[in-house]
Amino acid sequence: MVSTKNTTPSDETSLRLALKETKQQLIDTQKRCQDLETQLSHFSKAVEQGPAAVMITDANSNIVYVNRKFEIVSGYSERDIIGKTPSILKSGKTPPKTYEQLWSTITKGKEWSGIFQNRRKNGELFWERAVISGVRDATGTISHYIGVKEDITKEKEFESKLDEEKLKFFHQSKMAEVGLLASSILHEVSNPIASIRGLILEIMDTVENNNILREQLAPDNLELILEQADRLASITHDISDFTSPQSGDQQLIDLNSVIRSTCHLIQFDKRWRNINLILDLDKQIPALIGIKDQLTHLLINLLVNAADAVESNASKALSITVRTICVGDNIHLSVIDNGCGMNSETQEHAFDPFYTTKLPGHGTGLGLSLSHSIVEAHQGSIEIDSTVNKGSEMRVILPTGARIREYTI
């Protein structure tokens, strides 16, 4: 109770005004606190229920908060994650340089943005676009870090698929250009070869009836020249068949015949001179419904990969076997090599688009991905059986009576 015994009317008036002002200040402060509580509640709900994953750590990178979206995306519950560090999400796929740039930026009080390929609790890989920055306390010291992250896995998968389709189109266009060029060259080459062969036969007929010429021109040499001319004619014929536009229609195919012609052609590549190519073909396999051009492309991809594998393990005799066998209603086509083999990680990702273990410039990483698509289009499957330093078997299983789904190489 305030005593007014020795106060003047003026003092009492001032006191009342001061009390009134203090009361109003308390009311205003209370209202501001209520407004702040309301704002904080709205903010908390927005963060907790928002579409982006949010993580907050202390200055030592210990996680102190995650929202519901983070739990859904990562698979980790709040109980799993609190007290841990963000490294629990690392997959080993994000380059170390990314983390170096991140910490160099946020420890300076700046905002960092970038992309991670992380791993969910169940082991599944996923992509995140993140924005991370520091939170300063009243003294200006960074006390916490906050990260706002968006799951962009579907976006990345779409981009990868788009890149794959672009490369397919580029490959198709280039193959068409090569085919036109080869056809033009072969046309020009075939006529001289035919003329040379005709002249040799004419000379051989003349020599046969002329003892003097027979002594001067050894018949064995003429036979050798004729043999080489026939070999050139055979090569040009094979290349012409290979580069000619093929029908995209489904038809009954003799798989063994496709294998023989493809293997015959591919051996003209000089690197096959040191490889023992063995054909172990089951003569009893039935015809299958397929698209010849696609199956030829499939076989070439498997043979090229096998050749790369054996060349990298040249300490032993190089060998590749192409085998067919009928198992029930399916035909098994295997390409077996005694090359370097694949470890478990390589086998896991072998059919991923753009995945390759080859040196830059020695492959696009699309060969097995395209092969997988071709096999799936034929309603088949493809399997890998491989041991490091011993070799690999790529096994294609094709049903004999299946209709082909639409697929364009």
Side-chain angles (χ1 to χ4, degrees):
M1 182 175 178
V2 180
S3 174
T4 59
K5 183 176 180 180
N6 298 314
T7 59
T8 64
S10 176
D11 292 336
E12 290 180 2
T13 301
S14 298
L15 183 58
R16 289 194 189 95
L17 289 173
L19 289 172
K20 184 178 181 181
E21 183 177 346
T22 301
K23 182 179 179 181
Q24 186 60 48
Q25 289 176 347
L26 289 172
I27 292 172
D28 292 343
T29 299
Q30 185 179 20
K31 186 176 185 305
R32 283 197 299 272
C33 288
Q34 290 173 345
D35 290 343
L36 287 173
E37 285 179 1
T38 300
Q39 291 176 14
L40 184 61
S41 176
H42 290 332
F43 174 77
S44 176
K45 289 178 180 178
V47 171
E48 186 62 30
Q49 302 173 19
V54 177
M55 173 195 288
I56 300 175
T57 74
D58 61 22
N60 295 318
S61 297
N62 299 307
I63 299 171
V64 298
Y65 172 82
V66 292
N67 69 345
R68 177 59 182 156
K69 186 66 175 181
F70 176 92
E71 294 179 310
I72 293 171
V73 171
S74 70
Y76 288 99
S77 68
E78 185 179 41
R79 180 180 298 178
D80 293 329
I81 209 79
I82 296 299
K84 304 291 196 307
T85 65
S87 62
I88 194 173
L89 299 173
K90 280 188 176 181
S91 65
K93 303 292 184 180
T94 303
K97 189 174 181 180
T98 299
Y99 296 107
E100 293 172 8
Q101 293 173 341
L102 160 65
W103 284 107
S104 175
T105 302
I106 63 176
T107 52
K108 294 175 182 176
K110 298 178 181 179
E111 181 183 279
W112 179 88
S113 62
I115 292 175
F116 300 114
Q117 188 176 21
N118 283 333
R119 193 180 298 278
R120 306 185 205 274
K121 185 179 180 180
N122 64 5
E124 180 184 333
L125 294 173
F126 70 108
W127 292 90
E128 286 187 308
R129 181 182 291 115
V131 178
I132 302 173
S133 60
V135 179
R136 298 182 184 274
D137 60 19
T139 66
T141 303
I142 295 177
S143 61
H144 293 80
Y145 295 103
I146 181 169
V148 180
K149 304 189 286 184
E150 177 188 6
D151 185 350
I152 58 169
T153 304
K154 290 184 178 179
E155 180 182 326
K156 278 287 189 179
E157 289 174 350
F158 177 78
E159 287 177 0
S160 178
K161 189 67 176 177
L162 183 60
D163 288 341
E164 183 181 353
E165 292 300 323
K166 285 179 179 178
L167 200 54
K168 284 180 186 176
F169 177 75
F170 175 77
H171 175 79
Q172 184 179 8
S173 300
K174 282 297 180 185
M175 286 298 290
E177 292 176 10
V178 170
L180 289 172
L181 178 61
S183 296
S184 176
I185 293 173
L186 291 172
H187 178 73
E188 295 299 322
V189 170
S190 296
N191 291 335
I193 291 174
S195 298
I196 291 170
R197 191 176 188 281
L199 288 171
I200 293 171
L201 289 172
E202 185 176 339
I203 293 171
M204 290 177 72
D205 287 340
T206 303
V207 168
E208 182 69 24
N209 300 314
N210 191 311
N211 293 332
I212 297 175
L213 288 176
R214 191 183 302 119
E215 293 177 0
Q216 294 176 345
L217 298 173
D220 289 346
N221 290 338
L222 293 176
E223 289 285 353
L224 181 60
I225 295 172
L226 182 62
E227 181 183 322
Q228 294 304 312
D230 287 340
R231 181 169 180 268
L232 283 174
S234 174
I235 292 172
T236 55
H237 181 268
D238 288 342
I239 295 175
S240 179
D241 284 347
F242 181 73
T243 57
S244 296
Q246 300 290 324
S247 169
D249 296 334
Q250 302 178 32
Q251 55 186 298
L252 280 174
I253 294 174
D254 178 356
L255 184 60
N256 285 345
S257 177
V258 172
I259 293 169
R260 289 191 191 95
S261 59
T262 303
C263 289
H264 178 66
L265 177 64
I266 204 169
Q267 287 184 94
F268 293 127
D269 184 337
K270 63 181 181 181
R271 70 174 176 166
W272 284 84
R273 295 172 187 169
N274 299 320
I275 300 174
N276 183 24
L277 181 58
I278 303 167
L279 299 186
D280 181 14
L281 308 180
D282 183 355
K283 296 179 181 179
Q284 303 302 317
I285 66 170
L288 59 83
I289 298 174
I291 297 176
K292 183 179 178 181
D293 190 39
Q294 292 186 10
L295 293 176
T296 300
H297 193 170
L298 163 67
L299 183 57
I300 288 175
N301 282 338
L302 298 182
L303 287 170
V304 168
N305 278 354
D308 289 339
V310 296
E311 281 187 331
S312 64
N313 197 20
S315 59
K316 52 187 174 183
L318 311 184
S319 174
I320 294 175
T321 299
V322 181
R323 177 178 296 150
T324 57
I325 186 171
C326 191
V327 180
D329 294 330
N330 298 317
I331 295 175
H332 288 206
L333 161 63
S334 295
V335 176
I336 307 163
D337 67 70
N338 64 344
C340 58
M342 294 181 245
N343 58 31
S344 56
E345 181 182 359
T346 301
Q347 292 182 54
E348 180 183 352
H349 298 286
F351 300 114
D352 294 350
F354 306 107
Y355 180 82
T356 180
T357 58
K358 299 176 184 177
L359 295 173
H362 288 74
T364 62
L366 271 179
L368 285 180
S369 175
L370 292 174
S371 298
H372 187 265
S373 297
I374 291 171
V375 173
E376 281 196 331
H378 285 73
Q379 298 191 37
S381 60
I382 183 168
E383 303 171 349
I384 301 175
D385 184 5
S386 185
T387 304
V388 175
N389 295 326
K390 288 189 177 181
S392 302
E393 177 179 355
M394 302 297 296
R395 187 183 307 107
V396 176
I397 302 173
L398 298 170
T400 56
R403 304 300 294 179
I404 304 170
R405 294 190 291 266
E406 288 190 13
Y407 177 78
T408 302
I409 285 291

